[in-house]
Amino acid sequence: MDSHAHLDDAAYSEGVRAVLERAHAAGVGTVINPGYNLQSSQMAVSNAGAHPEVYALVGIHPHDASGVGDAEIATVAELLSLPKVVGIGEIGLDYYRDLSPRDQQLRVFRSQLELAREMGVPVEIHNRDAHHDTLEMLREYAPNLPAVVMHCYSGSSEMASDLMRLGCYISFAGPVTYRNSRRLIEAAAAVPLERMLVETDSPYLPPSPYRGERNEPAYVVEVVRRISELKNVPVTEVEAATAANAAAIFRLSPA
């Protein structure tokens, strides 16, 4: 299962069906398509409606937080009521690119966490160079949410431990296959399978040996292989555990 792939991205000009067929050929049976603003969230919902193996998340990314008000949050709430929408994402904080003012990022993040708490749905979190504020926010909200997934985790094993103490799940993507990602490799080795998900974050961050190419859900198998090596367990065990975790979090059948 690929727990985070942007199938609505323009990079997939040949169409989503072709991408999903390659995923099926690689053994990937389910893909979760998150939104990052209202338009992409609506496209994710459309993809979920058109393809039985796709589920949608809806939400507003920190890059798109500028100018977001009550009306936009209300639209996210409306989208959550649609079929095959299984949570809010991707949301969070990004202090690396700072494309939206930090006070607005924090406000929109809080609003969506409040919505998740009110509606009883899981969330997928984007965190880049905002570890302190992300942890502070999750200390407040995570205990009252069905589940929190740290998407495309890039932090240390120590931070992963802090997050897991709050009940969060840690999702690993292509960078865990990069030889120079020592801190991330240490984190993946330390996070137990019962708290782990795998993803591609397609079309971004392709794993080895596909670096320099467009990423896609079929390549999540490389993430699984690397984790199986780090933990010295069979690939099938990693596949089964991460799929079962995602299925439980998002209330769907594992694949």
Side-chain angles (χ1 to χ4, degrees):
M1 183 187 296
D2 185 353
S3 66
H4 191 109
H6 296 280
L7 297 174
D8 51 287
D9 196 278
Y12 300 121
S13 58
E14 78 275 35
V16 173
R17 187 71 255 157
V19 175
L20 293 173
E21 287 173 358
R22 289 192 292 274
H24 280 299
V28 181
T30 301
V31 179
I32 297 175
N33 184 168
Y36 54 86
N37 57 27
L38 294 183
Q39 181 181 9
S40 72
S41 293
Q42 289 162 345
M43 293 174 67
V45 172
S46 294
N47 282 333
H51 305 284
E53 61 272 77
V54 177
Y55 294 84
L57 301 175
V58 296
I60 298 171
H61 190 284
H63 290 343
D64 293 272
S66 295
V68 170
D70 291 345
E72 288 77 16
I73 300 301
T75 300
V76 173
E78 291 172 4
L79 292 171
L80 279 168
S81 67
L82 297 176
K84 297 185 72 182
V85 178
V86 295
I88 296 180
E90 72 186 270
I91 64 174
L93 302 171
D94 193 311
Y95 294 172
Y96 176 76
R97 297 186 69 188
D98 272 332
L99 296 186
S100 294
R102 294 184 182 182
D103 63 332
Q104 294 190 40
Q105 292 188 43
L106 285 161
R107 177 179 51 80
V108 173
F109 188 22
R110 179 178 293 276
S111 294
Q112 292 179 101
L113 290 173
E114 290 276 4
L115 180 61
R117 182 167 64 181
E118 291 169 10
M119 300 192 71
V121 297
V123 296
E124 275 198 349
I125 305 295
H126 172 104
N127 164 41
R128 192 168 187 193
D129 287 4
H131 303 327
H132 177 269
D133 285 354
T134 299
L135 271 172
E136 286 300 300
M137 197 77 81
L138 291 177
R139 285 191 181 104
E140 180 179 353
Y141 284 97
N144 298 305
L145 294 173
V148 175
V149 177
M150 303 306 298
H151 136 72
C152 196
Y153 187 70
S154 61
S156 65
S157 57
E158 292 80 9
M159 184 178 177
S161 294
D162 289 340
L163 290 161
M164 288 188 291
R165 277 192 287 271
L166 295 173
C168 299
Y169 291 80
I170 312 297
S171 183
F172 292 96
V176 78
T177 70
Y178 304 166
R179 291 183 179 178
N180 61 349
S181 297
R182 293 178 183 173
R183 186 176 70 163
L184 186 58
I185 289 168
E186 290 174 0
V191 171
L193 285 178
E194 59 265 26
R195 282 286 163 187
M196 185 182 292
L197 275 70
V198 291
E199 61 171 278
T200 57
D201 198 18
S202 304
Y204 315 108
L205 300 173
S208 299
Y210 300 103
R211 294 190 75 174
E213 301 180 20
R214 180 195 70 181
N215 201 4
E216 59 180 73
Y219 299 164
V220 76
V221 297
E222 300 298 336
V223 180
V224 171
R225 287 191 186 112
R226 182 58 177 142
I227 290 168
S228 76
E229 293 170 358
L230 293 172
K231 293 189 169 297
N232 194 28
V233 298
V235 164
T236 53
E237 185 175 339
V238 179
E239 289 174 339
T242 55
N245 292 340
I249 291 165
F250 298 111
R251 301 169 189 167
L252 43 90
S253 298

